Amino acid sequence: MKRLFEGRMRNKQLLSWLAVGVLVGALLLPLVISIPLLAEEFEDAALEQAAFAEETLGEDVPAQEIGYDVHYGDEGIVQGPPAPVTSDNENDYPRYNFESRVIIWVANQQHLYYGSFVLAVPIFVMIIEFIGMVTKDRAMAQKYDTLAYDFIKISITAYSITAILGGVLVFTFMILYPAFWTYMTKIFHPAMHIYVLLFLAESGTLYIYYYGWDAMREGLLKWVHLSMAVFLNVFGTVLMMLANSWATFMMSPAGVDAEGQYLGNIWLAVHNHLWNPVNIHRILGNMVFGGGIVAAYAAYRFLSAKNDEERAHYDWMGYVAMFIAVAFLIPLPFAGYYLMREVYAYRQQMGITLMGGLLAWLFIIQAVLIGALFLTTNYYLWQGMERMRGAERYQKYIKYMTFVLIVCFLVWLTPHTMVMTPTELKEMGGQQHPVVGNYGVMSAKNGAVNIIITTTVLSFLLYQRCNKIPTVPWARYGNIALWALFSVAFVNIIWLAIYGYYIPANVRVGLSVPQVVSTLSCLFIGMTINLFMMRGAKPTGPVEWGKISVRSQYALFMLATSFTWMMGLMGYIRSSVRLHWHVNEIMRDNSPWAFTHTIGFAANMISFNVLFFWVTLLFVFWLGSLGTKKAVVEKGRAAPVAALAPSTN
Amino acid sequence: MAKDVMMTIVLFAASIAYFTFINWWLMDFQGLDYWYMFRSGAELSSGGH
C-alpha cells in the first residue's frame, strides 16, 4: 500500500515537473521564434529580395515603390495603400442620430476599465499566492491563499465582461468608423491575429488557474499552479502592450510613410515613439486601479459583514489591496512625467497642447484628484492606527502632517493662469495673480508633490512601527537617523523648488530628478532603517483586524472612485491631444465631431463612464459574494500580516 | 548625552552631504550645472510654467 502511494507520489511529482517544463518552454517559445526574425531586419531582407528578383528576372518585375518611415526615417517597400482621405458622409462615417464619438468613447472606456482590472488582479494574485507558499506559518499561508483566491474570483466575472465589451468595441469601430478601422487593420492585422491567439491562451490559462485552485493546492502541483499565474500575466501584459501600440500609433505613428503607406515592418509600427512610455504608465496605472477596486470590494464586504471574523478578514483584504494600490501609486507620477517628457520630445506642440494649452485645465483637475488620492491614503493609514495599541505615541504628529499635506495640496492645484472676464483681468493686472500665481509654476508644483509623497512615506513608516517598541541597542541612533533623513529631505526638496526660481528654464527642468531621488531615498533608506530597527521589537499589542472605523472604509471607496475618475480623465486627455486627426498627421478626422469638447462636457462624460462602470461592478461584487470561501481565522487569534503590515512578534 | 549630540551632528551632516551629492551628481548626469546660480549670480526668474 505504502509502495503504491509512494509510486503515485513519484508519478505526480514527475508530471508536475513536466508541466512546469512545458509552461517554461511555452513561455520562452515566442522569444526563440522572434530572435532570428528580429535579427533579420525585415525591410533589409525585403529590399535585398527585390534587388535579387530584379537582377535575375530583368525588366519583367514591376517597379516597387520605396517609402521613408515618417518617424524613424528608414527606407522600406510600400506594402499598403495610403491613409484614406475621408469626408463627412454616411459612407465614411455611418451614424445614428447621436454623436458617434460619444458612443465609441463609452465603449472604449468601459472596455479599458474592465481590461485594466483583469490585467492587474492576476499580477497581485500571483504575488499573494507566492507569499502564501513561502510563509512558514500554516494558518497565515492559508489566509494568503484564501485572499488570493478571493481576488481572482472577483476578476473571473469581470473577465467575461471584458471580453463582451471588447466585442462591443470592435463592432462599434467597424460600424461607426469603417474607413479608419480598415486602415488600422491593414497595418496591424498580424498583431491583431497574435492578439486574438493570446486572448484565447489567456482565457484558457485563467480558467484552469481558477478552477484548478483546489485540485492543485499541495506540493509541487502548487508550484505548477503558480507557474500558470506567471504564464497568465505574461499573456495579459503582452495583450495590453499590443493594444497600447494601436493607441500610441494613432498619436505617434511609425512604420508608415508620410502618406500613411505601410512599409512592411510591423515592429516599427508597434514600437512607435510613445509605446514604451505608455506601456510603463499603464502597467503601473492598472495595478493602482486594480488595487483600488479590490479595496472597494473589501470595504463593501466589510460594511455588510455579519460577524467579527468576516469583518477582520475583509479589513485585512482592504488593507492589502490598498497597500498594493499605494505602492504603485508612488512611482506613477514619475512614469507620467516620463511619458510627458517623451510627448514633448516627439512633438513639442503636442506637449504644449496638453500642459500649457487647450487641455491644460484638465491637468488642474488631475492635480486635484492626485492630491485627494494622497490625502485619502494618509487618512486611511491614520485611521488604521486604531487597530493597534501603542499608536497613541504617533497620533500627535498627524495634525502637522495634515497641515503639510494641505498646504502642498493647495500649491499643487494652483493654476498658472485663470480664465477671466476682461474686467477681472484688468483688476488683477494680468492673467497671473501677483501672489498666488507664483505657486502655479512647475518649480513650486514639483516641490509640493514630492513633499506630499514623502509625507505619505512617513505616514506609512509610522503605521508600520506604531504597535512596536524597538529593542535593538542602536534604536536611539536609528531614530536620529530617520529624523535626519526625513527632515533634510524635506528641506532639500523645498530648497530645490525655491532654487528653480533663480535659474533659467533649461537648467531648472533638471532639478526634478534630484527632487524625485530625495523622495525615493526616504522611501528606500527610511524603510530599510525602520525594518532593521523593528527586528525583535517588543509588541505593544496585536493588530486587531476589523477594529477600524467605518469612515476608513468610505476612504477606500473614495480611493477607488478617484482612481476610476482619474483614469477616465487621463484617457480622454491622451486621446483628445490628437485634435482633428484619427492618426496624428497621417489620417485626418473629417467627421462632424472632430472638435475638442468643452471641459464641462468632458467631465460629465467621464462621470457617466465612472457611474456606469461602478453600477456594473456592483453586479460583479454581488456575484462575488455568492458562495464566498470563508477565511480561516482562528478564534481569539489575532492575525499578523507578515511583510505587509506591522507584525505582533 | 555627549554621544547623542555627537551622533545627531554626524547623522545630520551625513544627510546634508548625501543630498548635496545627489543634487550635484544627478544634475551633472543630465549635463546641467547644479551650481549655476552661484557661478552666474542670482537673478529671479519665472519659476517655470
Side-chain angles (χ1 to χ4, degrees):
Chain A
M1 187 67 188
K2 196 181 166 194
R3 206 174 289 168
L4 186 71
F5 177 74
E6 279 174 359
R8 272 193 182 170
M9 279 306 289
R10 261 200 299 275
N11 283 344
K12 214 170 175 182
Q13 278 193 348
L14 200 69
L15 276 173
S16 301
W17 279 115
L18 201 67
V20 172
V22 169
L23 288 173
V24 171
L27 205 62
L28 293 174
L29 195 64
L31 267 181
V32 175
I33 294 171
S34 63
I35 288 167
L37 283 176
L38 289 174
E40 209 175 352
E41 292 192 6
F42 302 99
E43 73 275 40
D44 285 355
L47 284 170
E48 274 170 28
Q49 247 177 7
F52 176 75
E54 208 171 324
E55 259 176 41
T56 48
L57 301 173
E59 290 171 1
D60 295 341
V61 176
Q64 282 175 312
E65 196 186 337
I66 301 292
Y68 294 91
D69 191 300
V70 72
H71 180 62
Y72 291 107
D74 295 5
E75 201 176 73
I77 298 169
V78 172
Q79 293 186 22
V85 179
T86 56
S87 54
D88 180 10
N89 61 47
E90 290 277 343
N91 286 335
D92 289 337
Y93 299 103
R95 63 199 75 172
Y96 304 109
N97 285 329
F98 201 72
E99 187 181 325
S100 297
R101 185 174 41 167
V102 167
I103 299 171
I104 203 92
W105 189 344
V106 175
N108 231 323
Q109 190 63 64
Q110 295 305 320
H111 179 58
L112 203 89
Y113 278 147
Y114 275 97
S116 304
F117 177 57
V118 298
L119 287 179
V121 172
I123 298 178
F124 45 82
V125 166
M126 179 182 72
I127 297 167
I128 295 169
E129 191 185 3
F130 177 72
I131 293 174
M133 284 171 72
V134 294
T135 301
K136 284 175 188 152
D137 179 347
R138 285 187 73 83
M140 262 331 280
Q142 179 60 43
K143 241 174 108 59
Y144 277 120
D145 201 63
T146 310
L147 183 71
Y149 184 79
D150 272 357
F151 278 16
I152 201 76
K153 194 171 60 187
I154 308 165
S155 79
I156 205 100
T157 317
Y159 191 79
S160 310
I161 298 176
T162 310
I164 294 165
L165 287 167
V168 170
L169 179 62
V170 169
F171 283 117
T172 314
F173 268 126
M174 286 161 70
I175 294 165
L176 299 178
Y177 291 91
F180 163 74
W181 183 247
T182 309
Y183 176 62
M184 288 295 279
T185 48
K186 273 188 180 148
I187 296 171
F188 284 104
H189 64 271
M192 285 174 176
H193 280 134
I194 295 170
Y195 186 89
V196 172
L197 290 173
L198 278 172
F199 182 74
L200 285 174
E202 195 196 12
S203 307
T205 316
L206 178 66
Y207 288 118
I208 298 169
Y209 183 66
Y210 175 69
Y211 289 108
W213 198 286
D214 282 334
M216 301 167 89
R217 68 176 181 275
E218 293 291 337
L220 208 55
L221 272 174
K222 188 68 179 161
W223 287 100
V224 176
H225 192 253
L226 186 69
S227 311
M228 286 173 71
V230 176
F231 219 56
L232 182 64
N233 284 309
V234 171
F235 287 147
T237 309
V238 177
L239 269 176
M240 183 204 67
M241 287 164 78
L242 280 177
N244 288 349
S245 71
W246 309 330
T248 52
F249 173 83
M250 290 164 71
M251 293 172 78
S252 56
V256 292
D257 66 7
E259 277 76 46
Q261 300 178 110
Y262 178 49
L263 300 177
N265 187 341
I266 186 69
W267 175 242
L268 292 184
V270 168
H271 185 243
N272 55 71
H273 190 88
L274 295 176
W275 186 51
N276 275 328
V278 167
N279 283 337
I280 293 168
H281 198 256
R282 273 201 171 160
I283 289 175
L284 293 174
N286 288 353
M287 294 296 283
V288 176
F289 181 66
I293 304 275
V294 176
Y297 170 76
Y300 165 82
R301 297 301 308 270
F302 177 93
L303 294 174
S304 56
K306 298 277 186 295
N307 54 51
D308 287 347
E309 277 182 24
E310 259 187 58
R311 208 165 287 124
H313 177 69
Y314 288 110
D315 180 20
W316 180 56
M317 185 178 183
Y319 171 77
V320 175
M322 192 280 314
F323 177 88
I324 292 167
V326 174
F328 288 93
L329 175 67
I330 289 172
L332 195 58
F334 309 132
Y337 194 85
Y338 167 54
L339 173 59
M340 283 312 301
R341 201 180 164 127
E342 289 306 311
V343 167
Y344 270 95
Y346 175 70
R347 288 286 184 279
Q348 198 178 23
Q349 189 51 51
M350 199 183 252
I352 292 167
T353 305
L354 281 168
M355 306 233 21
L358 192 63
L359 303 168
W361 264 88
L362 295 171
F363 275 87
I364 299 293
I365 303 175
Q366 185 220 16
V368 175
L369 284 166
I370 291 176
L373 279 177
F374 278 105
L375 273 175
T376 315
T377 305
N378 280 279
Y379 179 76
Y380 178 80
L381 286 172
W382 300 334
Q383 290 287 309
M385 285 180 176
E386 284 176 20
R387 299 183 189 111
M388 292 168 271
R389 265 180 238 145
E392 313 80 58
R393 291 170 297 159
Y394 297 112
Q395 276 171 343
K396 61 184 176 218
Y397 298 117
I398 290 175
K399 54 182 175 288
Y400 303 117
M401 291 196 284
T402 310
F403 177 76
V404 169
L405 285 172
I406 288 175
V407 169
C408 290
F409 183 36
L410 292 174
V411 172
W412 174 236
L413 60 85
T414 302
H416 182 242
T417 46
M418 299 288 286
V419 180
M420 287 176 290
T421 62
T423 323
E424 288 168 337
L425 199 70
K426 203 174 165 189
E427 278 174 10
M428 212 167 83
Q431 273 206 317
Q432 213 177 346
H433 190 275
V435 180
V436 181
N438 289 319
Y439 301 111
V441 293
M442 279 321 289
S443 256
K445 284 171 190 286
N446 275 345
V449 77
N450 278 289
I451 295 279
I452 289 175
I453 300 172
T454 310
T455 308
T456 309
V457 172
L458 185 61
S459 275
F460 189 72
L461 195 137
L462 294 183
Y463 179 87
Q464 275 200 315
R465 57 191 289 163
C466 66
N467 69 332
K468 280 173 250 169
I469 297 169
T471 52
V472 287
W474 50 274
R476 195 175 177 77
Y477 303 126
N479 280 333
I480 298 172
L482 286 173
W483 269 105
L485 178 74
F486 275 88
S487 36
V488 177
F490 277 123
V491 170
N492 190 50
I493 292 167
I494 295 168
W495 147 247
L496 291 173
I498 297 170
Y499 187 36
Y501 285 85
Y502 291 89
I503 53 179
N506 60 338
V507 187
R508 176 169 60 236
V509 74
L511 292 179
S512 58
V513 180
Q515 276 182 325
V516 168
V517 174
S518 301
T519 303
L520 294 179
S521 298
C522 287
L523 178 65
F524 293 114
I525 303 174
M527 287 295 170
T528 309
I529 294 174
N530 196 47
L531 201 72
F532 279 105
M533 273 179 80
M534 291 303 127
R535 278 190 171 177
K538 194 174 131 200
T540 54
V543 184
E544 295 176 274
W545 293 104
K547 290 194 177 165
I548 190 168
S549 70
V550 169
R551 292 190 302 279
S552 65
Q553 304 304 303
Y554 289 110
L556 293 181
F557 284 131
M558 162 82 183
L559 274 179
T561 316
S562 302
F563 288 144
T564 319
W565 214 94
M566 191 154 69
M567 221 164 130
L569 175 76
M570 298 319 286
Y572 168 67
I573 294 174
R574 188 201 55 71
S575 185
S576 60
V577 74
R578 286 178 284 110
L579 302 175
H580 52 276
W581 297 98
H582 286 309
V583 179
N584 193 36
E585 298 167 8
I586 296 283
M587 183 183 176
R588 202 182 165 102
D589 180 356
N590 287 314
S591 73
W593 311 288
F595 61 91
T596 305
H597 274 298
T598 59
I599 293 169
F601 182 88
N604 284 336
M605 275 302 300
I606 295 160
S607 298
F608 170 79
N609 271 321
V610 170
L611 201 64
F612 189 89
F613 172 69
W614 277 99
V615 168
T616 53
L617 200 68
L618 276 178
F619 170 70
V620 174
F621 283 2
W622 174 74
L623 278 180
S625 68
L626 299 176
T628 305
K629 228 177 146 184
K630 289 204 172 151
V632 181
V633 183
E634 288 173 35
K635 272 197 174 173
R637 182 184 185 283
V641 186
L644 293 174
S647 68
T648 53
N649 45 32
Chain B
M1 186 63 189
K3 201 181 170 193
D4 283 359
V5 173
M6 187 58 98
M7 280 304 282
T8 307
I9 294 169
V10 168
L11 287 167
F12 268 84
S15 295
I16 293 166
Y18 167 74
F19 283 111
T20 310
F21 172 74
I22 60 161
N23 288 350
W24 165 79
W25 187 74
L26 290 169
M27 288 294 275
D28 194 58
F29 184 74
Q30 298 174 84
L32 300 167
D33 181 13
Y34 175 61
W35 309 109
Y36 183 91
M37 184 179 82
F38 305 99
R39 288 190 221 276
S40 61
E43 200 174 299
L44 191 63
S45 77
S46 69
H49 294 289

